[in-house]
Amino acid sequence: MIWITSVLCGIILPLLLFGMYRLKRNPHLLQISYRRIKKDWITSILTVIGSMIGTALITAALLLYTSVEGSIEAFMNKHFGPITVDIVASEQNKLNPPYFTEKDISKIKQDAHQAGYESVLPILSTYANLYTIDKKGEVESVVPQAHIISFDINEAKSFQKGELEHLPNELQSDEVIISDTIAKRLHIGKSDWIQVKFKLDKEKTLKVVAVTAEQGLTGYRGVDRGTETMVVSNQTARELTGISTGFSNILLASSFPQLQTMENWTPEFIRYKTLQEINVTLKFIPLFYMVSLIAILLGIILILCIFKLIADDRKKELGLMRAMGMKRNEIALMLRLEGMIYGLISSLLGGVMGFIIAIITVRNLQYILQSFLQYESQIDLYFTFQFTPEALILGIVIGFVFIHTCMWWISRKVVQKSIIELLADLPVYISKNHTRGSNHSKAGWTIFTLGSWIILYIIMLHPRYQAWLRTMEDLGGYVDVVLFFTMVLLLAVGVTKGYPLLLNGIQRLFSFLPKVFATFKISFAHAIQNKRRTQLMILLFSMIMLSTSFASVIHSSISPLFKQIYDSREAVGGFDLTAQTKGLLTDSEQKSLMTKHQQVEASATVWQLFDSSFGVINGIDNEFVAVADLNVIKKDSHFKTNRDMWLATIRNPRLIVVERRFAVLQLGKADIAIGDTLQLPTGEKKTVVGVVAAENESYGYTMVNDGVWVSKKAFKNWNHKENRALETAILIRGKQENEVAQLASKIEKAFIPEGIYPVHNPKVQLAKGEYLYQVTLQLLEIFSKLATGIGAVGLMVILYRIVHERRQQLGMLRAMGMAPQWLCTGIVIEGTVIATIGISMGVIMGSGLAVMLMNMLMDRAVEVQWPLLNLFMLWSGAVLFTMLCTFWPAYQASRYAPSEATRYIR
């Protein structure tokens, strides 16, 4: 964006300097331009307003884009800095012992250098809960799931150059460096003490020796995304992790954005992965970008229409100046000076207006964007209005360039015409343009383009085409884009080229009514003769309606997806609440946590092994089977009931139950049969005795309804033999479903000091997710209507100028005896018919654009819901608004006295 701004500024500055130089040599031209603007001040103000709106839409769209991108960039710099890759020891299957030794680190450094990485930093990484104690010895403030990181500070200063110089060179075993966000949450500062709780049996008290801003290493939340970051000494980290020598993670830094694989290691591309998750989670952002693009196109067409009207309005005035002896280049210079004045005023005001619109838009969007990321990906990305001078200047410059270009185009057209052409009431046409053959050619082109459009539209909505697109994966999106824009081009060409035929057809429908027929003929003649202006008007109407119909179809199609009611207990296998903790939690430890909670009806623990190549392995026992309610779709015929199957799986470590979707996605089997043998990552082979169908709705809190299920007895062996991350899912079922929210609050307070966080309430999260999607769709409609409303204001300016520019022609019609009411009716009919054509085209293009984007951005097929009533109301409202906007200037024009209206110069 900087280079674009620089290029445009490099173009504008010479133009301004050249204009000032010419102005100094021709001061009388400035006086003429100033008097013209001052005398016709109403028209001048309307011109500035219309141009200002166009610039404001362009500026607001650019500032919105830079705010979103700037917030993401600030987040990545804050929480990653130079960090590109995190190599986690627990993910390296061939690593023995289960951490990185000096030999491993030396090998990684060598491999990283060969792969193009610039820096390597060994660290110790784990997670713990932080809290402070008041004078009574009770917990005062809590920070759950904080990322505890340890590294050699001198190496870290080399790894993250120039940003960690303020940190002490060494930490003692009882010292800690905390982030400024932890200090705010715990209400502590330097020299205060903090409690660190790690799992159930490890706790330590540390002294704060420094409070630092989150930046790179001091803000890195780890692979499992902790809520905060805290730096401790190596000795403390080894006590918490149990790693006496070596390191748990290796961080790599690279300034290259592409992924650089390493042959001997399994790296976690943490930076790229986070960016991908942000982009996937915020997949609806392109919808707002599309509205912004529509706003930019609307602003451009608005500016073109206004200055095309200026050119037509002043033809006779400029012709008289030419007849009085003014040179062609002097007239061109005068018009360009007027364009510079209009451009400077309207672009500056439009920049301010766009700045305000962007601030309002970001403030309305920031909570939605933050909540979506937290809900979907547990990423705390705070969106703020990121003011970038380049975006503001670029918006102002684009507005000025368009206005100046329009005025340059007008002046060029004017100086090319003769005095007779400028003074003529109607354009001079060559007879060959009005031959019968020409009309047949236009009709042929119109039929061809609109017919092709209809065929492509049918293809685009056909179920077979939609199914084919899904098989094409990423390529299907590009095919959809090419097809859509081909349709837009065909529709635009067909309508703009064929509208004279449509107007003539409407006119002939009333041939049996002489007065009406004559009124239509006079009204439509002006639209047919001024083709370029009419085409711009049709495009303007279509762009105004495109954004509104686009948002309407999106809202009506996606909303039903989030109105389905899911049973939260089914989503987590018959439980109400879930929690996750590292390591294996025993039944006795789990029961001791639940003894104080009378509202708990039942609870269970599921041991889990997460393997990146295999999936999730769930270890279950009697407590789980007693309460769990999973949908068993088939089981071994030896078992009479589902409970018998689960009990046999618990007792016999050689048996396994598989989830149907897991079999398809992980094992590549369309169907798994009872009795099949399944080999686990540990090398053990299990016999399938049951298949489960998980709830379709995924809450993303726990995977107890996904993967495979085995006996906990197998886990006891793996805990000693296998080098993998083991976790425990705690499942809780309340006595009363309507008291689950209160129960979740009480349990969370009890769990946090024990190192367990967070406690998930699927029912609340589902309601929150539905709310977020609904509000987002509503905001999309609101912003689309805002762009439409702003465009409508500009449209009012144009409609006023259209009638104002035709005052002489209307005065001549009055002098020839045309009644005022028929004159007014003719103007209203002309504006309404042109508006109807443009509005209909905009509704069609907006609906098609919505279908295309939904196919590209949604993970699952979306059934298009056509809001026919809403679209009809929008269409009717737009036509009615046009009639009202046209009526007032038409009514004023009908009251012109012929002697006043037919003056050459007022």
Side-chain angles (χ1 to χ4, degrees):
M1 185 174 291
I2 295 177
W3 70 268
I4 297 176
T5 307
S6 302
V7 169
L8 289 177
C9 288
I11 295 173
I12 286 178
L13 288 176
L15 289 176
L16 290 174
L17 293 174
F18 181 72
M20 294 175 65
Y21 169 74
R22 295 291 298 273
L23 181 62
K24 185 176 180 180
R25 295 189 60 184
N26 302 276
H28 62 288
L29 297 179
L30 179 62
Q31 293 178 0
I32 295 173
S33 299
Y34 175 74
R35 288 175 182 174
R36 168 72 187 186
I37 293 173
K38 183 178 179 181
K39 184 177 181 181
D40 200 2
W41 62 273
I42 294 179
T43 303
S44 301
I45 290 175
L46 292 176
T47 301
V48 170
I49 291 174
S51 304
M52 177 187 71
I53 290 171
T55 305
L57 291 173
I58 294 170
T59 306
L62 291 172
L63 287 172
L64 175 61
Y65 172 80
T66 56
S67 292
V68 173
E69 294 298 319
S71 296
I72 294 175
E73 184 179 356
F75 170 82
M76 298 305 295
N77 290 333
K78 178 179 179 180
H79 294 293
F80 293 93
I83 301 171
T84 305
V85 170
D86 191 338
I87 305 178
V88 184
S90 60
E91 296 294 329
Q92 314 306 311
N93 295 333
K94 298 180 180 180
L95 197 63
N96 189 19
Y99 51 81
F100 295 112
T101 63
E102 291 297 331
K103 182 179 178 181
D104 297 323
I105 295 171
S106 177
K107 177 62 176 173
I108 289 176
K109 287 182 178 180
Q110 182 180 353
D111 293 345
H113 178 73
Q114 292 177 354
Y117 291 98
E118 298 160 3
S119 302
V120 177
L121 181 66
I123 66 169
L124 287 161
S125 172
T126 188
Y127 297 86
N129 294 329
L130 314 178
Y131 61 96
T132 56
I133 299 175
D134 60 16
K135 296 180 180 179
K136 297 180 181 180
E138 298 179 355
V139 175
E140 185 177 21
S141 301
V142 178
V143 172
Q145 197 70 7
H147 183 215
I148 312 299
I149 185 172
S150 173
F151 43 76
D152 185 291
I153 295 181
N154 291 321
E155 289 185 18
K157 290 178 180 179
S158 176
F159 181 85
Q160 187 172 328
K161 297 178 182 179
E163 296 178 347
L164 301 178
E165 301 300 328
H166 61 286
L167 297 182
N169 292 326
E170 188 178 358
L171 289 175
Q172 300 300 320
S173 61
D174 62 343
E175 294 179 339
V176 63
I177 300 172
I178 64 173
S179 65
D180 50 1
T181 53
I182 291 180
K184 290 178 182 178
R185 292 179 65 174
L186 295 181
H187 310 291
I188 59 175
K190 187 176 180 180
S191 301
D192 289 332
W193 293 86
I194 187 173
Q195 307 294 320
V196 180
K197 183 72 174 183
F198 182 75
K199 295 186 178 180
L200 296 177
D201 56 348
K202 294 182 181 179
E203 187 170 5
K204 197 169 182 65
T205 303
L206 302 174
K207 182 181 181 181
V208 178
V209 295
V211 177
T212 182
E214 290 187 316
Q215 188 66 37
L217 286 169
T218 57
Y220 180 50
R221 302 292 173 81
V223 175
D224 292 331
R225 295 197 184 123
T227 58
E228 298 289 350
T229 306
M230 184 175 73
V231 182
V232 299
S233 65
N234 281 344
Q235 182 178 345
T236 300
R238 295 189 189 285
E239 290 180 20
L240 294 175
T241 59
I243 299 176
S244 57
T245 60
F247 295 88
S248 62
N249 301 64
I250 304 292
L251 301 180
L252 306 181
S254 173
S255 56
F256 297 99
Q258 65 267 24
L259 302 181
Q260 301 163 76
T261 58
M262 299 177 67
E263 182 178 351
N264 300 316
W265 309 97
T266 304
E268 185 81 22
F269 297 98
I270 187 67
R271 189 183 188 91
Y272 173 79
K273 180 182 177 182
T274 303
L275 276 174
Q276 285 294 100
E277 288 192 33
I278 291 173
N279 292 330
V280 170
T281 304
L282 300 182
K283 57 191 172 186
F284 59 88
I285 283 292
L287 302 180
F288 289 94
Y289 285 162
M290 188 57 65
V291 173
S292 300
L293 179 60
I294 293 170
I296 291 175
L297 294 176
L298 181 59
I300 293 171
I301 296 174
L302 191 60
I303 292 172
L304 287 172
C305 286
I306 288 173
F307 285 93
K308 180 70 171 66
L309 288 172
I310 290 176
D312 294 339
D313 188 23
R314 299 183 59 186
K315 280 195 307 181
K316 291 187 177 181
E317 176 190 344
L318 299 174
L320 285 173
M321 291 181 178
R322 287 277 309 279
M324 293 169 64
M326 185 174 282
K327 297 178 181 179
R328 292 175 184 263
N329 61 342
E330 290 181 331
I331 290 179
L333 180 59
M334 180 186 68
L335 291 174
R336 290 168 190 170
L337 287 174
E338 287 187 29
M340 290 180 65
I341 294 172
Y342 282 131
L344 286 172
I345 296 173
S346 61
S347 58
L348 290 173
L349 293 176
V352 174
M353 183 178 178
F355 179 80
I356 295 171
I357 293 173
I359 291 177
I360 295 172
T361 302
V362 172
R363 285 185 177 177
N364 281 277
L365 278 177
Q366 60 183 2
Y367 170 74
I368 297 297
L369 299 180
Q370 291 167 12
S371 301
F372 257 117
L373 280 169
Q374 180 60 42
Y375 172 69
E376 296 282 353
S377 305
Q378 290 76 52
I379 296 175
D380 292 319
L381 198 164
Y382 296 96
F383 288 89
T384 57
F385 176 72
Q386 300 279 333
F387 173 69
T388 51
E390 296 86 5
L392 179 61
I393 294 172
L394 183 59
I396 294 173
V397 168
I398 290 175
F400 179 84
V401 167
F402 274 116
I403 294 170
H404 190 274
T405 303
C406 289
M407 218 50 171
W408 173 85
W409 174 64
I410 289 169
S411 64
R412 184 172 176 271
K413 290 289 184 181
V414 167
V415 298
Q416 288 177 347
K417 292 184 178 181
S418 65
I419 296 175
I420 295 175
E421 287 178 310
L422 291 173
L423 295 176
D425 283 329
L426 297 176
V428 178
Y429 289 95
I430 301 174
S431 59
K432 68 179 181 180
N433 290 335
H434 300 283
T435 62
R436 185 178 297 274
S438 176
N439 289 332
H440 287 321
S441 177
K442 289 180 182 177
W445 269 105
T446 303
I447 293 172
F448 172 75
T449 53
L450 293 181
S452 301
W453 178 86
I454 292 171
I455 293 172
L456 290 178
Y457 199 79
I458 293 172
I459 291 173
M460 186 175 179
L461 296 179
H462 199 277
R464 289 186 179 179
Y465 170 75
Q466 301 294 335
W468 176 79
L469 273 186
R470 286 191 287 275
T471 62
M472 296 297 289
E473 297 181 352
D474 295 339
L475 184 60
Y478 295 106
V479 174
D480 228 2
V481 169
V482 172
L483 181 61
F484 171 76
F485 282 104
T486 302
M487 291 172 57
V488 170
L489 182 62
L490 289 171
L491 184 62
V493 171
V495 171
T496 54
K497 289 292 184 182
Y499 83 89
L501 300 175
L502 179 61
L503 296 183
N504 287 328
I506 295 173
Q507 173 187 321
R508 290 175 182 175
L509 291 176
F510 297 92
S511 57
F512 62 94
L513 299 172
K515 282 191 175 181
V516 177
F517 177 78
T519 302
F520 271 78
K521 188 170 184 177
I522 293 171
S523 301
F524 291 163
H526 184 269
I528 294 173
Q529 290 162 358
N530 294 274
K531 292 182 180 179
R532 190 61 55 82
R533 181 199 303 175
T534 306
Q535 290 169 352
L536 286 173
M537 287 295 297
I538 291 173
L539 289 176
L540 180 61
F541 277 109
S542 65
M543 294 307 298
I544 289 175
M545 284 306 299
L546 191 152
S547 62
T548 305
S549 57
F550 163 77
S552 181
V553 174
I554 289 283
H555 187 274
S556 62
S557 299
I558 297 181
S559 290
L561 299 179
F562 307 105
K563 291 182 179 178
Q564 303 177 38
I565 300 175
Y566 294 94
D567 188 338
S568 58
R569 284 188 172 180
E570 289 183 9
V572 286
F575 296 89
D576 295 316
L577 303 173
T578 69
Q580 206 88 5
T581 185
K582 295 288 185 181
L584 300 183
L585 193 68
T586 63
D587 289 338
S588 59
E589 290 172 331
Q590 174 255 325
K591 289 178 181 178
S592 66
L593 292 171
M594 297 298 168
T595 53
K596 299 179 181 179
H597 303 288
Q598 302 298 325
Q599 295 173 292
V600 175
E601 178 181 341
S603 62
T605 57
V606 176
W607 292 350
Q608 295 182 314
L609 185 152
F610 295 88
D611 185 89
S612 57
S613 61
F614 183 81
V616 187
I617 303 175
N618 298 291
I620 57 175
D621 58 9
N622 289 317
E623 299 290 338
F624 175 81
V625 174
V627 184
D629 184 20
L630 297 175
N631 181 23
V632 179
I633 56 175
K634 57 182 176 180
K635 61 181 182 292
D636 193 303
S637 58
H638 293 90
F639 305 120
K640 294 182 179 180
T641 64
N642 294 341
R643 181 177 174 81
D644 292 340
M645 179 199 71
W646 289 114
L647 290 174
T649 304
I650 293 171
R651 298 186 187 115
N652 189 346
R654 293 176 297 176
L655 304 182
I656 190 171
V657 178
V658 182
E659 199 277 320
R660 178 180 57 183
R661 185 172 49 187
F662 169 85
V664 175
L665 298 178
Q666 297 293 337
L667 305 181
K669 294 185 177 182
D671 188 26
I672 190 166
I674 301 299
D676 284 356
T677 301
L678 181 62
Q679 184 170 343
L680 299 183
T682 59
E684 296 176 309
K685 294 183 178 181
K686 309 282 185 181
T687 302
V688 177
V689 294
V691 179
V692 169
E695 172 70 18
N696 289 330
E697 177 67 9
S698 174
Y699 295 96
Y701 316 124
T702 182
M703 298 184 183
V704 295
N705 62 340
D706 195 11
V708 298
W709 291 265
V710 298
S711 172
K712 278 187 177 180
K713 297 176 182 178
F715 273 74
K716 293 178 180 178
N717 296 328
W718 299 341
N719 195 27
H720 298 290
K721 294 181 180 180
E722 299 298 323
N723 176 29
R724 288 178 172 83
L726 298 173
E727 295 187 4
T728 300
I730 305 173
L731 310 175
I732 303 164
R733 183 185 179 102
K735 292 181 179 179
Q736 301 292 333
E737 284 193 67
N738 57 356
E739 297 179 355
V740 170
Q742 297 91 327
L743 176 62
S745 178
K746 293 179 180 179
I747 288 178
E748 188 168 70
K749 289 181 180 178
F751 276 13
I752 287 176
E754 302 299 333
I756 303 171
Y757 177 84
V759 174
H760 297 293
N761 185 342
K763 193 171 186 178
V764 172
Q765 294 294 330
L766 176 59
K768 183 179 179 181
E770 289 180 356
Y771 168 78
L772 291 174
Y773 278 103
Q774 293 292 338
V775 171
T776 302
L777 294 173
Q778 290 171 7
L779 280 174
L780 179 65
E781 275 201 300
I782 290 172
F783 293 140
S784 298
K785 289 175 180 177
L786 175 64
T788 301
I790 295 174
V793 174
L795 186 62
M796 292 173 63
V797 174
I798 290 175
L799 292 173
Y800 174 84
R801 291 214 58 149
I802 285 178
V803 178
H804 184 72
E805 174 255 333
R806 294 169 58 186
R807 61 188 180 278
Q808 292 181 349
Q809 185 187 88
L810 299 175
M812 292 178 66
L813 291 173
R814 285 289 313 280
M816 293 168 63
M818 191 172 187
Q821 62 269 25
W822 285 106
L823 188 68
C824 179
T825 302
I827 296 173
V828 173
I829 289 173
E830 177 191 350
T832 303
V833 171
I834 293 174
T836 303
I837 295 172
I839 289 167
S840 302
M841 189 169 76
V843 170
I844 293 170
M845 288 195 299
S847 303
L849 180 62
V851 173
M852 181 197 73
L853 283 180
M854 284 190 293
N855 290 335
M856 289 179 61
L857 300 176
M858 296 302 293
D859 296 330
R860 46 181 164 169
V862 178
E863 183 179 353
V864 180
Q865 301 290 332
W866 298 102
L868 298 180
L869 180 60
N870 194 17
L871 290 175
F872 176 75
M873 294 296 293
L874 290 172
W875 182 88
S876 304
V879 172
L880 181 61
F881 175 79
T882 304
M883 293 177 65
L884 294 175
C885 290
T886 310
F887 174 76
W888 176 246
Y891 174 74
Q892 287 186 319
S894 67
R895 300 180 64 185
Y896 282 155
S899 59
E900 178 186 354
T902 52
R903 294 178 186 173
Y904 261 28
I905 300 178
R906 290 178 294 158

